[in-house]
Amino acid sequence: MRITRRETFNAAHRLYRPDWDDMKNMEVFGKCSNPRWHGHNYVLFVTVEGSVDLQTGFVINLKELSRIIEEHVIQKLDHKNINLEVDFMQGKLASTENLAIGIWQQLEQPVTDAGGSLFCVKLIETENNFVEYFGS
Amino acid sequence: MRITRRETFNAAHRLYRPDWDDMKNMEVFGKCSNPRWHGHNYVLFVTVEGSVDLQTGFVINLKELSRIIEEHVIQKLDHKNINLEVDFMQGKLASTENLAIGIWQQLEQPVTDAGGSLFCVKLIETENNFVEYFGS
Amino acid sequence: MRITRRETFNAAHRLYRPDWDDMKNMEVFGKCSNPRWHGHNYVLFVTVEGSVDLQTGFVINLKELSRIIEEHVIQKLDHKNINLEVDFMQGKLASTENLAIGIWQQLEQPVTDAGGSLFCVKLIETENNFVEYFGS
Amino acid sequence: MRITRRETFNAAHRLYRPDWDDMKNMEVFGKCSNPRWHGHNYVLFVTVEGSVDLQTGFVINLKELSRIIEEHVIQKLDHKNINLEVDFMQGKLASTENLAIGIWQQLEQPVTDAGGSLFCVKLIETENNFVEYFGS
Amino acid sequence: MRITRRETFNAAHRLYRPDWDDMKNMEVFGKCSNPRWHGHNYVLFVTVEGSVDLQTGFVINLKELSRIIEEHVIQKLDHKNINLEVDFMQGKLASTENLAIGIWQQLEQPVTDAGGSLFCVKLIETENNFVEYFGS
Amino acid sequence: MRITRRETFNAAHRLYRPDWDDMKNMEVFGKCSNPRWHGHNYVLFVTVEGSVDLQTGFVINLKELSRIIEEHVIQKLDHKNINLEVDFMQGKLASTENLAIGIWQQLEQPVTDAGGSLFCVKLIETENNFVEYFGS
């Protein structure tokens, strides 16, 4: 059984490598490398896998899962600049893939502590693209 | 190859355990334990897995799959009280998880009889949460 | 200029008239008259009309509009039984139309007090039907 | 008869007044005033009103309307910083209201030149808020 | 008060004028003029305006409105070729605008007979374009 | 890690077998066998699986993936008749299942050439049904 909680955040970012010149960044990342930033309404789906607790009928209490995501992910990302302000993204390219991995790493331990098993982090960047990370 | 049919139903429910007092029910289930009920527009995705029939180009005929879901699930749940009126939920906590398991048990045999193999029951309770059950 | 805030709530209700017998209620309201209730994920769009404040660039501050809707509407409706528990629906048929009128009456004064002018209450009951009320 | 074309763009912005100090900006605009920017997937609906051309069956040719929006709006906004890079937003608060007015002013003349009459610019900032501008 | 019912249908069509040659049709209608047809999942929103009936709490009974739309519109359009098979579109360009006008003309009398007043026919052709017709 | 790109196309089709008579086709395929065609707004999700490139932060560059889908799938299907005009569907029943298999076969080699590994083709025919093909 898998249960999924949806959360949203809005953030600014850009795709670029400081060790590449502007022409190379533009060639690979296109307009996503704009040095003055752009941004997205990100939609995050966090899926926890497990058996159903006989007492509660829950895989995990969604109030608790929502609180964990809020504390460990949303407060760090919402209305932030992903490149400049998010501790777990420092030194990383701010691609959707790397952001999903970072979110996984933020959530894995607290979800485990709450008795759940993190199964998937799905991150929608635009209506036309999303990534799914399953941990390693 | 997997094929999925979407159906919807509207129902009332509450989350509570009769062997817990109100305070305990409120602590675990929050406002979802309101004794006077609340409800949802549930969205159900039923996925059948199989190979493509060479005669029809179908994994399963969706007209038949839709009829099965209508007869075994929607007629029992739509505009009903899940706690009080749904035979396959009697004696169970009316959580989304348990409801998805109950729906799986309703569908597994008739889908098999129709030559398909039930793969997943996905049940959306609100825009912010859903469960997926794959059968044990 | 019009600005709209979306909010959601989940509630139980039934459509029936106590002065009609069950057969008449069933004839007019169908399965929506089920005496053991059913429910919906309601989606509410509140639209305020006005000119843009030169200081803030806002027709109305959405934080304030959201707080007003939360206090006067969502807290009274979310996870409630519309027929039994909602003060402003007492003695009224719990149709989507009447609920939208009730929500308008809840919001009109506080929105005015916040310097705005309520333009429309749009209430979505299911993906297949919604109502819009413009006040009188 | 009204016809509407949907387009999308992603951009960064912040809400703030340079003549207010940080505390005042934070008080009024909250986290939207973050000096390091945040961003959105904006969704734009442009509505043109008119009679149906007997030759084409169109109010306006959507290929032409789409080209106008692309040239006058999307190229200026997509993957841009609204505060720093968009000519028609210079010196204005980057609120959704002001952005919708700016988009209207960009589109009014070219839509008229194409034989149409601009009726409404609807701009969705997040799933929870949008504005509609009807020109003056 | 306005109430809206959503219905869907799938149909094939093409945009072309028999009195224009292929080059002219292609110039104006582009790939929509493909002589071997293409098609859409149309989404139809029918809005009825009126006061709330004190007996029922309804502007119009949605069961009745749905039946009217089914009989007068959906049965004629669903899984049909709009150019070849739909009586009320004979001799007309199969544009979304003309289709919305045709649907209005199909619905106006039966909605009036049911005690309602047709306010708007909104017809979505793709996620990027739709029309709204208000009658005349 | 999986990354998904969404694309859309509109096409006409019908379900039928030339070796069955009309009655048999109607019995199995219902109104989908209408000889004058119907059509859909298809939504296509192409999922590529792989590890994250350390240089770019990408599993695959979405600009490249989008170009591949455009060239090998969309140009062949958009505004076309699937039965009559699509080379890779010749001689096949135009079911959603067969179309997804055909799309997979179009994409597998070019995605591999671009350094990716095709994981899933998901094809939505209507809001109520979709298929997923994983290759083989």
Side-chain angles (χ1 to χ4, degrees):
Chain A
M1 176 76 71
R2 295 177 194 152
I3 188 159
T4 298
R5 176 75 188 176
R6 190 186 81 115
E7 303 283 350
T8 63
F9 59 93
N10 309 319
H13 82 141
R14 64 176 294 210
L15 298 180
Y16 83 114
R17 292 187 64 85
D19 56 337
W20 286 353
D21 61 19
D22 285 359
M23 196 173 300
K24 177 72 172 173
N25 272 298
M26 181 57 67
E27 181 196 323
V28 174
F29 299 120
K31 57 191 177 184
C32 297
S33 69
N34 178 11
R36 293 190 162 179
W37 320 102
H38 66 286
H40 298 288
N41 301 342
Y42 290 91
V43 185
L44 172 67
F45 290 86
V46 176
T47 301
V48 172
E49 192 172 57
S51 53
V52 179
D53 183 287
L54 292 179
Q55 289 282 309
T56 61
F58 291 159
V59 168
I60 191 171
N61 193 320
L62 281 176
K63 287 190 296 178
E64 176 67 0
L65 179 56
S66 181
R67 194 198 57 73
I68 289 170
I69 303 171
E70 173 67 23
E71 177 185 336
H72 295 274
V73 175
I74 304 302
Q75 285 187 9
K76 295 189 172 198
L77 283 164
D78 191 33
H79 286 75
K80 300 293 186 189
N81 185 307
I82 297 171
N83 298 65
L84 302 180
E85 298 183 296
V86 179
D87 57 2
F88 65 81
M89 291 301 288
Q90 291 313 298
K92 299 181 192 168
L93 252 159
S95 68
T96 320
E97 288 92 331
N98 282 341
L99 187 52
I101 294 172
I103 290 170
W104 176 283
Q105 291 168 343
Q106 288 297 111
L107 292 175
E108 192 172 22
Q109 192 58 51
V111 167
T112 303
D113 293 348
S117 174
L118 188 60
F119 177 74
C120 180
V121 165
K122 177 178 177 179
L123 185 60
I124 300 180
E125 192 187 60
T126 75
E127 64 185 14
N128 293 322
N129 61 287
F130 62 83
V131 303
E132 293 162 290
Y133 185 61
F134 300 87
S136 84
Chain B
M1 175 76 71
R2 295 177 194 152
I3 188 160
T4 298
R5 176 75 188 174
R6 188 185 83 114
E7 303 283 351
T8 62
F9 59 92
N10 309 317
H13 82 141
R14 66 176 295 210
L15 299 180
Y16 82 114
R17 291 188 66 87
D19 55 338
W20 286 353
D21 62 19
D22 285 359
M23 197 174 300
K24 176 73 172 171
N25 272 300
M26 181 56 67
E27 182 195 323
V28 174
F29 298 121
K31 57 191 176 183
C32 297
S33 68
N34 178 10
R36 293 190 161 180
W37 321 100
H38 66 285
H40 299 287
N41 302 341
Y42 289 92
V43 185
L44 172 66
F45 290 87
V46 175
T47 301
V48 172
E49 192 173 56
S51 53
V52 179
D53 182 286
L54 293 179
Q55 289 281 308
T56 61
F58 291 158
V59 168
I60 190 171
N61 193 321
L62 282 176
K63 287 190 295 178
E64 176 66 1
L65 179 56
S66 181
R67 193 198 56 73
I68 289 170
I69 303 171
E70 173 67 22
E71 177 185 336
H72 295 273
V73 176
I74 303 302
Q75 285 187 8
K76 296 189 171 198
L77 283 164
D78 192 32
H79 286 76
K80 300 293 187 189
N81 185 307
I82 297 171
N83 299 64
L84 301 180
E85 297 183 297
V86 179
D87 57 4
F88 64 82
M89 291 300 290
Q90 290 314 298
K92 299 181 193 167
L93 250 158
S95 68
T96 319
E97 288 92 331
N98 282 341
L99 187 51
I101 293 173
I103 291 170
W104 175 284
Q105 291 167 344
Q106 289 297 110
L107 291 174
E108 192 172 22
Q109 192 58 52
V111 167
T112 302
D113 292 348
S117 174
L118 188 59
F119 176 74
C120 181
V121 165
K122 177 178 176 178
L123 186 59
I124 300 179
E125 192 187 60
T126 76
E127 64 185 14
N128 294 323
N129 60 288
F130 62 84
V131 303
E132 293 161 291
Y133 185 61
F134 300 87
S136 85
Chain C
M1 175 76 71
R2 296 176 194 151
I3 188 160
T4 299
R5 176 76 189 175
R6 189 184 84 114
E7 304 282 351
T8 63
F9 59 92
N10 310 317
H13 81 142
R14 66 176 294 211
L15 298 180
Y16 82 114
R17 291 187 66 86
D19 55 337
W20 288 352
D21 62 20
D22 285 0
M23 195 173 301
K24 175 73 172 172
N25 273 299
M26 180 57 67
E27 181 195 324
V28 174
F29 299 121
K31 58 191 175 183
C32 297
S33 69
N34 178 11
R36 292 190 163 181
W37 320 100
H38 66 286
H40 299 288
N41 301 342
Y42 289 92
V43 185
L44 173 65
F45 290 87
V46 175
T47 301
V48 172
E49 191 171 55
S51 53
V52 179
D53 182 287
L54 293 179
Q55 290 281 310
T56 60
F58 290 159
V59 167
I60 191 171
N61 194 320
L62 281 176
K63 288 191 296 178
E64 176 67 1
L65 180 56
S66 181
R67 193 198 57 72
I68 289 170
I69 302 170
E70 173 67 22
E71 177 185 336
H72 295 274
V73 176
I74 304 301
Q75 285 187 8
K76 296 189 171 196
L77 284 165
D78 192 32
H79 285 76
K80 300 293 186 189
N81 185 307
I82 297 171
N83 299 64
L84 302 180
E85 297 182 296
V86 180
D87 57 3
F88 65 82
M89 291 300 290
Q90 291 314 298
K92 300 180 192 168
L93 252 158
S95 67
T96 320
E97 287 91 331
N98 282 341
L99 187 51
I101 293 172
I103 291 171
W104 174 284
Q105 291 167 344
Q106 288 298 110
L107 291 174
E108 191 173 23
Q109 191 60 50
V111 167
T112 303
D113 293 347
S117 174
L118 188 60
F119 177 74
C120 181
V121 165
K122 178 178 176 177
L123 185 60
I124 300 179
E125 193 189 59
T126 76
E127 64 185 14
N128 294 324
N129 61 288
F130 62 85
V131 303
E132 294 162 291
Y133 185 61
F134 301 86
S136 85
Chain D
M1 176 75 72
R2 294 177 194 152
I3 187 160
T4 298
R5 175 77 189 175
R6 188 186 84 114
E7 303 282 350
T8 62
F9 59 93
N10 310 318
H13 82 141
R14 66 176 294 210
L15 298 180
Y16 82 115
R17 291 186 66 86
D19 55 336
W20 287 353
D21 62 19
D22 284 0
M23 196 174 301
K24 176 71 173 172
N25 272 299
M26 182 55 68
E27 181 194 323
V28 174
F29 299 120
K31 57 190 175 183
C32 297
S33 68
N34 178 12
R36 293 190 162 181
W37 320 101
H38 66 285
H40 298 288
N41 301 342
Y42 289 91
V43 185
L44 173 66
F45 291 86
V46 176
T47 301
V48 172
E49 191 171 56
S51 53
V52 179
D53 182 287
L54 293 180
Q55 289 282 310
T56 61
F58 290 159
V59 167
I60 191 170
N61 194 320
L62 281 177
K63 289 191 295 179
E64 175 66 2
L65 179 57
S66 182
R67 194 198 57 72
I68 289 170
I69 303 170
E70 173 67 22
E71 177 185 335
H72 295 274
V73 176
I74 304 301
Q75 285 188 9
K76 296 188 171 199
L77 283 165
D78 191 33
H79 285 76
K80 300 293 186 190
N81 184 307
I82 297 171
N83 298 64
L84 301 180
E85 298 183 296
V86 180
D87 57 3
F88 64 82
M89 291 301 288
Q90 292 313 298
K92 300 180 193 168
L93 252 159
S95 68
T96 319
E97 287 92 331
N98 282 340
L99 188 51
I101 293 173
I103 290 170
W104 175 284
Q105 291 168 343
Q106 289 297 111
L107 292 174
E108 191 173 23
Q109 191 59 51
V111 167
T112 302
D113 293 347
S117 174
L118 187 59
F119 177 74
C120 180
V121 165
K122 178 178 176 177
L123 186 59
I124 300 179
E125 193 188 59
T126 76
E127 65 185 14
N128 293 323
N129 61 288
F130 62 83
V131 303
E132 293 161 291
Y133 185 62
F134 300 87
S136 83
Chain E
M1 175 76 71
R2 295 177 194 150
I3 188 159
T4 298
R5 176 75 189 175
R6 188 185 83 114
E7 302 283 351
T8 63
F9 59 92
N10 310 317
H13 82 142
R14 66 176 294 210
L15 298 180
Y16 83 115
R17 291 187 66 86
D19 56 337
W20 287 353
D21 62 20
D22 284 359
M23 196 175 301
K24 176 72 173 173
N25 272 298
M26 182 55 68
E27 181 195 323
V28 174
F29 299 121
K31 57 192 175 183
C32 297
S33 69
N34 178 11
R36 292 190 163 180
W37 319 101
H38 66 285
H40 299 288
N41 301 342
Y42 289 91
V43 185
L44 173 65
F45 290 87
V46 176
T47 301
V48 172
E49 192 172 56
S51 52
V52 179
D53 183 287
L54 293 179
Q55 289 281 309
T56 61
F58 291 159
V59 167
I60 190 171
N61 193 321
L62 282 176
K63 288 190 295 179
E64 175 67 1
L65 179 56
S66 181
R67 194 198 57 72
I68 289 170
I69 303 170
E70 173 67 23
E71 178 185 336
H72 295 274
V73 176
I74 303 302
Q75 285 187 9
K76 296 189 171 197
L77 284 165
D78 192 32
H79 285 76
K80 300 293 187 188
N81 185 306
I82 297 171
N83 299 64
L84 302 180
E85 298 183 297
V86 180
D87 57 3
F88 64 81
M89 292 300 289
Q90 292 312 299
K92 298 181 192 168
L93 252 159
S95 67
T96 320
E97 288 92 331
N98 282 340
L99 187 51
I101 293 172
I103 291 170
W104 175 284
Q105 291 168 344
Q106 289 298 109
L107 292 174
E108 192 172 23
Q109 191 58 51
V111 167
T112 302
D113 292 347
S117 173
L118 188 59
F119 177 74
C120 181
V121 165
K122 178 179 176 178
L123 185 59
I124 299 180
E125 191 187 61
T126 75
E127 64 185 13
N128 293 323
N129 60 287
F130 62 84
V131 303
E132 293 162 291
Y133 185 61
F134 300 86
S136 85
Chain F
M1 176 76 73
R2 295 177 194 151
I3 187 159
T4 298
R5 176 77 189 174
R6 189 185 82 114
E7 303 282 351
T8 63
F9 59 92
N10 309 318
H13 82 141
R14 66 176 293 211
L15 298 179
Y16 83 115
R17 291 187 66 87
D19 55 337
W20 287 353
D21 61 21
D22 285 0
M23 197 174 301
K24 176 73 172 171
N25 273 298
M26 182 56 68
E27 180 196 324
V28 175
F29 299 121
K31 58 191 175 184
C32 297
S33 69
N34 178 11
R36 293 191 162 179
W37 321 101
H38 67 285
H40 298 289
N41 302 342
Y42 290 91
V43 185
L44 173 65
F45 290 86
V46 175
T47 302
V48 172
E49 191 172 56
S51 53
V52 179
D53 182 287
L54 292 179
Q55 289 282 309
T56 60
F58 291 159
V59 167
I60 191 170
N61 193 320
L62 281 177
K63 287 190 296 179
E64 176 66 1
L65 179 56
S66 181
R67 194 198 56 74
I68 289 169
I69 303 170
E70 173 67 23
E71 178 185 336
H72 295 274
V73 176
I74 304 301
Q75 285 187 10
K76 295 188 172 200
L77 284 165
D78 192 33
H79 285 76
K80 301 293 187 190
N81 185 306
I82 297 172
N83 298 63
L84 302 180
E85 298 183 296
V86 180
D87 57 3
F88 64 82
M89 291 300 289
Q90 292 312 299
K92 299 180 193 168
L93 251 158
S95 68
T96 319
E97 287 92 331
N98 282 341
L99 187 52
I101 293 173
I103 291 170
W104 175 283
Q105 292 168 343
Q106 288 298 110
L107 292 174
E108 191 172 24
Q109 192 58 51
V111 166
T112 302
D113 293 347
S117 174
L118 188 59
F119 177 74
C120 181
V121 165
K122 178 178 177 178
L123 185 60
I124 300 180
E125 193 187 60
T126 75
E127 64 185 15
N128 293 324
N129 60 287
F130 63 84
V131 303
E132 294 162 290
Y133 184 61
F134 300 87
S136 88

